[in-house]
Amino acid sequence: MRIDARMQFDLIAQGTDEQVPVLVDITAPRLDPADAATRPPHTLQVVLDRSGSMGRGSLEVAKTALKDLVDRLRPDDNFGLVAFDDQVQVVAPAGPLTDKDAVKSAIAGLRPGGSTNLSAGYLRGLQEAERVAADAGATVLLISDGHANCGVTDPEILGEKADEAFHRGVITSALGIGEGYDEHLLAALARGGRGNDGMAEDADAAAQFIAAQVDGLLSQAAQAVSLLLRMEPSVRGVELVNELPVTATPDGVLIELGSLYSGETRTLTLVLDVPAGPPPGPVRLGELQLSWAELPTLKQHTAAVPLHAEVVPPDAAATRSPDARVHTELVFQRAQQAKRHAATALRRQNPQEALEELRGARDAVKTAATTAPAEMAADLDEELAVLAALIHDIESGNHSRSAKTALKRAGDVGRNRGRQFTEGTGLDRRTWGSQPGAGRPTVANYPKTPRRAWIDLAEAIRTLPLKPEDREPIAEAVAALLDGRPDFNALRFRRHALATNPRTGHAPDSLF
């Protein structure tokens, strides 16, 4: 494991309260393929909504994906399935997959039922996971298309249950299918459980997300990853801008990341509150201590990085230049906070407040894009597209979809920022939220743009040398553009087209 930290400024103005952003990159080692045979057994517990609304096709999609999932696990891996409507049914007791055919037969026999007691299903799933989980822990994946309408329905309470389970070694991920699910509840489960939350508007997206959970489970390189910030007296406090739980401990502020996958990088943004007071000269602000359990041995490790700065007179500090990547990442994460605030405002039926949050974030991202490092340009392009689509949706009265999209995107970027899977992990980049164009649903509600611009952009995309995995999304992007309906992949493909052949890029740079 590697930890790197960089501050927006290495210089601090004497006699002035300072907010000091710090960017932290945590990179997991690449797994040796030979270790796959010696990894400890994994435990995956699925909690599946089989209420009546799942009978509109969602249940069949989930069943097909779960049967494929079973095929990919080893016989010594633990798998369990709990289904719920207003009652809870243990479809497949958690345990080793010694008889995969029997498990798949049980999955095939599921039928839609009544109302949605999500809390009962989730708590029963936790019990099953913890019953068989060993030192390697367990993952619970909850799949639902509806609002919990009986049992415990408070997102805060269920998020606390997920947090408690995480501290017992169980990670929780959640997938919402369609447009009827409770985005706040599922986001709270994923946040408390340090897992992933997905939004699937169609069968393909649902299948991709479910498959990706197994891919991630099988490529874990480290577990129980945590970052402890030990602050010096020169620091008054700290803000974690990412959407991750933070715990105050006697030793400092603890941030728990859960598991990291082979070769991936996770990025965190902190803001240190440094009050006026330190005399001129070097000052130690604190230390970042990374802890993790190595796989497959589960051996415990730690690594530490100190945080230092230089206190200088105000006139010297006035000439300092900010680190472009730290500054841009801070603006990017503030935009995710704005989307979370907007989703909350929409839940309170206050669309005007939501629009103010999103417009402010859009303007800040536009400004940051003028000085952003080249490697972040695609992320900012996509962020502007997302914000434009959300603003247009709200202005058009589509508040439910906007709230779900805002929370989903903010959760992806806030919790899993920087997640970059390398070759050999088996993970589909389009399934995850940290990559440009990563599994985003097509959005037709963009601001109006001349049809000629979309045609030019489609022609630019058509010049791309096609990779097998890009054939379908490129075809979808081109079809949408020619119909005057841009999708999120368009910006990624346009950038690639320009890099391949700049003469093909006829579309204007400022589509938004």
Side-chain angles (χ1 to χ4, degrees):
M1 294 277 282
R2 189 178 77 243
I3 176 172
D4 299 298
R6 57 202 296 180
M7 294 189 293
Q8 181 169 330
F9 299 107
D10 292 327
L11 304 179
I12 295 177
Q14 180 187 9
T16 304
D17 290 352
E18 290 269 26
Q19 299 293 306
V20 182
V22 180
L23 197 65
V24 183
D25 289 320
I26 301 169
T27 304
R30 186 191 297 271
L31 285 177
D32 186 331
D35 289 338
T38 60
R39 69 168 174 81
H42 290 310
T43 297
L44 178 62
Q45 174 68 44
V46 176
V47 178
L48 179 61
D49 183 350
R50 67 177 187 94
S51 60
S53 60
M54 289 286 284
R56 295 191 290 265
S58 298
L59 183 59
E60 292 305 313
V61 169
K63 286 162 59 175
T64 299
L66 292 180
K67 286 185 282 188
D68 291 341
L69 178 157
V70 167
D71 284 333
R72 300 181 61 194
L73 295 173
R74 287 190 330 209
D76 61 338
D77 287 327
N78 294 313
F79 174 83
L81 174 60
V82 165
F84 68 90
D85 52 1
D86 51 334
Q87 302 292 322
V88 177
Q89 174 190 3
V90 179
V91 179
L97 275 168
T98 53
D99 190 346
K100 292 189 176 184
D101 288 340
V103 172
K104 289 191 289 184
S105 178
I107 293 171
L110 283 171
R111 298 290 181 269
S115 56
T116 308
N117 192 339
L118 186 148
S119 62
Y122 175 61
L123 295 176
R124 187 68 184 92
L126 287 180
Q127 293 173 350
E128 283 292 291
E130 293 180 35
R131 179 174 60 79
V132 300
D135 293 339
T139 297
V140 170
L141 170 60
L142 186 143
I143 304 169
S144 177
D145 77 334
H147 281 250
N149 50 28
C150 54
V152 178
T153 60
D154 187 329
E156 184 174 345
I157 294 175
L158 288 174
E160 290 173 355
K161 291 297 181 182
D163 178 77
E164 293 169 2
F166 173 78
H167 287 93
R168 298 193 298 270
V170 180
I171 291 173
T172 299
S173 291
L175 171 64
I177 299 178
E179 294 191 13
Y181 71 91
D182 187 332
E183 65 275 9
H184 293 274
L185 194 155
L186 296 194
L189 285 171
R191 182 171 58 251
R194 291 16 170 227
N196 305 297
D197 68 304
M199 170 185 173
E201 293 186 308
D202 54 41
D204 288 342
Q208 281 185 356
F209 183 87
I210 294 170
Q213 306 315 298
V214 180
D215 287 329
L217 193 65
L218 299 181
S219 67
Q220 285 183 3
Q223 290 183 334
V225 181
S226 65
L227 184 67
L228 177 67
L229 171 61
R230 302 178 187 272
M231 292 180 290
E232 296 292 333
S234 55
V235 177
R236 179 164 48 199
V238 62
E239 175 194 6
L240 173 65
V241 189
N242 301 69
E243 189 190 19
L244 288 167
V246 176
T247 304
T249 74
D251 295 324
V253 175
L254 183 66
I255 305 164
E256 291 164 306
L257 300 173
S259 299
L260 264 68
Y261 307 132
S262 175
E264 77 158 303
T265 296
R266 299 281 291 278
T267 301
L268 303 179
T269 303
L270 308 170
V271 179
L272 304 181
D273 181 10
V274 182
V283 60
R284 181 182 171 94
L285 301 178
E287 179 184 79
L288 293 166
Q289 180 177 299
L290 182 69
S291 301
W292 72 95
E294 173 190 347
L295 289 175
T297 64
L298 295 180
K299 182 179 179 180
Q300 298 290 322
H301 296 274
T302 60
V305 172
L307 298 176
H308 294 286
E310 183 86 10
V311 178
V312 298
D315 56 344
T319 63
R320 62 191 177 183
S321 298
D323 182 291
R325 182 171 173 238
V326 180
H327 171 71
T328 306
E329 186 65 34
L330 178 61
V331 173
F332 189 77
Q333 286 295 340
R334 293 294 189 204
Q336 311 319 309
Q337 289 182 329
K339 289 202 285 287
R340 291 193 288 273
H341 295 158
T344 300
L346 290 174
R347 189 168 193 173
R348 297 198 309 265
Q349 298 184 346
N350 191 339
Q352 189 57 43
E353 180 183 339
L355 284 171
E356 290 173 2
E357 289 279 356
L358 296 173
R359 288 168 179 161
R362 177 197 58 193
D363 294 343
V365 172
K366 280 185 177 179
T367 301
T370 62
T371 58
E375 64 269 21
M376 295 188 69
D379 282 342
L380 297 183
D381 280 351
E382 185 179 12
E383 188 62 24
L384 286 173
V386 171
L387 290 167
L390 288 171
I391 290 169
H392 190 278
D393 269 357
I394 295 172
E395 290 174 339
S396 301
N398 194 349
H399 299 167
S400 175
R401 177 195 171 93
S402 297
K404 289 175 172 58
T405 304
L407 275 184
K408 171 63 174 64
R409 167 73 173 180
D412 281 344
V413 178
R415 288 193 293 276
N416 298 321
R417 176 62 174 158
R419 176 159 275 173
Q420 297 175 356
F421 300 108
T422 56
E423 297 299 325
T425 62
L427 292 177
D428 182 347
R429 290 174 181 268
R430 289 173 294 161
T431 307
W432 296 86
S434 57
Q435 297 296 329
R440 304 284 181 258
T442 298
V443 174
N445 298 321
Y446 275 62
K448 292 182 179 178
T449 303
R451 178 173 170 78
R452 180 70 248 171
W454 299 126
I455 293 174
D456 288 343
L457 181 50
E459 292 303 319
I461 291 172
R462 278 176 168 168
T463 67
L464 290 174
L466 296 185
K467 297 179 180 179
E469 64 270 22
D470 279 338
R471 289 182 183 276
E472 182 178 345
I474 284 179
E476 291 174 352
V478 170
L481 293 173
L482 291 177
D483 194 34
R485 299 180 297 102
D487 77 0
F488 285 123
N489 278 321
L491 291 174
R492 176 166 63 109
F493 294 142
R494 175 182 180 274
R495 184 168 294 279
H496 188 177
L498 287 170
T500 304
N501 181 0
R503 289 177 300 174
T504 64
H506 303 301
D509 289 328
S510 56
L511 290 177
F512 305 102

